[in-house]
Amino acid sequence: MGQPFHAKWRYKDVRELQAARITEAVKDMCIEANYRLSPDMLKVFSDGVRNEESPLGCQVLKQLEENLKIADEDRIPICQDTGMAVVFIKAGQEVHITGGSITSAVNEGVRQGYEEGYLRKSVVGDPIERINTKDNTPAVIHYELVEGDKVEITVAPKGFGSENMSRVFMLKPADGLEGVKNAILTAVKDAGPNACPPMVIGVGIGGTFEKCAQMAKHALTRNIEEKPEKKWVRELEEEMLKKINSLGIGPGGLGGRITALAVNVETFATHIAGLPVAVNICCHVNRHAHRVI
Ligand code: SF4
């Protein structure tokens, strides 16, 4: 007689990972992301200072760059809005988390990180009652089960000046690529100075209503120097960056060329009857930290 499924599974090589290690990693990443931008963000920032033609825009970019330097050296938050913690987790299906649930471990990491890092607690427990949870929990957590025995964690604290300017467009298939371009430009134009430019634009194209929004958020965490595989997506990113930087919004919304530092696009299969597009706008404080444990 064959073994029951669960008995066979028990004898497989499963890696044990203590929940406390996830807590520790999330805590460190909340602090790190709020004190220091990733090297690719720093690079596009200094490129922006070089390329800005407006003297006022250039002055704003230099001040923002100086602010980034001070935050890193003095270990203080880059912005007073230290964001709602968005956490992407790719959990290897050969990992067994011990000593507590993964969701509790992540939220404990956020709690500790926001406390120890002196980060502003910006989360209310209910959207209408609006009482501050006083520890910046709960985090918004997106899980994905993947092959392997590792857990990959990305923490992306999201400021709401720019989050509030983000949009979902349920286009028709006939709207095509031109419709997608118009949607991106509409969202950026409507955001104007409210999204604390220069912005980073995350775009999700395809999937369903919620899938495109999730892709747009995830796109913000992509290393700006890494380019998408599909040619049309690479070309779309380049064209949109040029067009956005011709809108004249400029750094701080005070006019100039550098309205956006990057446009990152993710795509997915979709239904024959639809063309969902989400535009998740991020300010210049495009924070994300990454660990594999
Ligand atoms: S949108 Fe960004 S720069 Fe503006 S206040 Fe929020 S975190 Fe700070």
Side-chain angles (χ1 to χ4, degrees):
M1 203 169 69
Q3 284 177 320
F5 172 76
H6 69 272
K8 273 194 263 176
W9 182 81
R10 219 176 13 197
Y11 293 117
K12 274 199 74 186
D13 284 337
V14 172
R15 177 182 166 228
E16 297 213 331
L17 178 64
Q18 287 195 347
R21 285 195 60 196
I22 293 173
T23 296
E24 193 65 20
V26 170
K27 177 187 86 173
D28 291 348
M29 281 188 278
C30 286
I31 297 173
E32 177 189 317
N34 268 295
Y35 289 1
R36 181 190 310 142
L37 294 187
S38 55
D40 56 313
M41 273 300 298
L42 295 175
K43 181 172 180 306
V44 282
F45 223 103
S46 50
D47 291 349
V49 175
R50 267 199 311 280
N51 295 330
E52 179 56 68
E53 291 159 5
S54 140
L56 186 54
C58 202
Q59 197 185 330
V60 172
L61 284 176
K62 280 185 183 158
Q63 283 173 354
L64 294 174
E65 205 176 31
E66 176 71 4
N67 178 58
L68 290 175
K69 197 162 159 270
I70 293 169
D72 188 6
E73 285 172 2
D74 294 356
R75 294 188 55 76
I76 53 174
I78 299 163
C79 183
Q80 43 76 33
D81 178 359
T82 52
M84 186 165 193
V86 178
V87 182
F88 290 96
I89 297 201
K90 285 187 182 174
Q93 58 193 10
E94 285 154 33
V95 181
H96 176 217
I97 310 286
T98 59
S101 87
I102 189 165
T103 300
S104 303
V106 169
N107 279 317
E108 183 56 28
V110 170
R111 188 174 290 120
Q112 292 180 14
Y114 274 71
E115 192 57 36
E116 287 182 29
Y118 299 101
L119 307 175
R120 193 184 78 184
K121 322 299 186 290
S122 311
V123 173
V124 293
D126 180 280
I128 298 300
E129 293 168 352
R130 307 201 74 83
I131 297 168
N132 197 305
T133 61
K134 296 196 167 69
D135 59 8
N136 224 56
T137 68
V140 175
I141 311 173
H142 302 286
Y143 290 104
E144 189 183 343
L145 265 183
V146 295
E147 286 183 4
D149 63 357
K150 300 272 189 294
V151 176
E152 204 178 320
I153 310 173
T154 302
V155 173
K158 187 67 174 69
F160 260 56
S162 53
E163 189 75 353
N164 284 339
M165 307 317 293
S166 302
R167 303 272 293 274
V168 172
F169 302 82
M170 298 305 289
L171 302 181
K172 297 177 186 68
D175 293 326
L177 191 53
E178 281 313 303
V180 172
K181 291 175 189 173
N182 285 337
I184 298 170
L185 284 179
T186 301
V188 173
K189 271 189 223 160
D190 290 353
N194 296 330
C196 301
M199 317 169 203
V200 177
I201 315 295
V203 181
I205 307 171
T208 49
F209 180 80
E210 84 288 1
K211 174 71 179 174
C212 70
Q214 195 177 326
M215 285 192 293
K217 173 75 74 215
H218 190 257
L220 290 172
T221 69
R222 193 188 89 205
N223 184 326
I224 291 166
E225 286 168 352
E226 287 168 12
K227 298 297 167 200
E229 273 178 30
K230 286 184 187 167
K231 185 166 172 272
W232 75 262
V233 181
R234 280 197 305 277
E235 288 172 355
L236 177 68
E237 289 187 352
E238 283 164 21
E239 183 184 338
M240 285 295 97
L241 186 58
K242 272 196 197 122
K243 286 197 166 141
I244 289 168
N245 285 340
S246 306
L247 293 174
I249 299 168
L254 296 170
R257 177 157 287 280
I258 309 298
T259 297
L261 298 168
V263 178
N264 282 5
V265 178
E266 285 191 14
T267 63
F268 194 73
T270 191
H271 191 278
I272 50 172
L275 176 50
V277 180
V279 184
N280 194 192
I281 297 183
C282 192
C283 57
H284 56 281
V285 194
N286 180 26
R287 294 164 277 210
H288 42 84
H290 186 76
R291 298 267 195 293
V292 179
I293 52 178

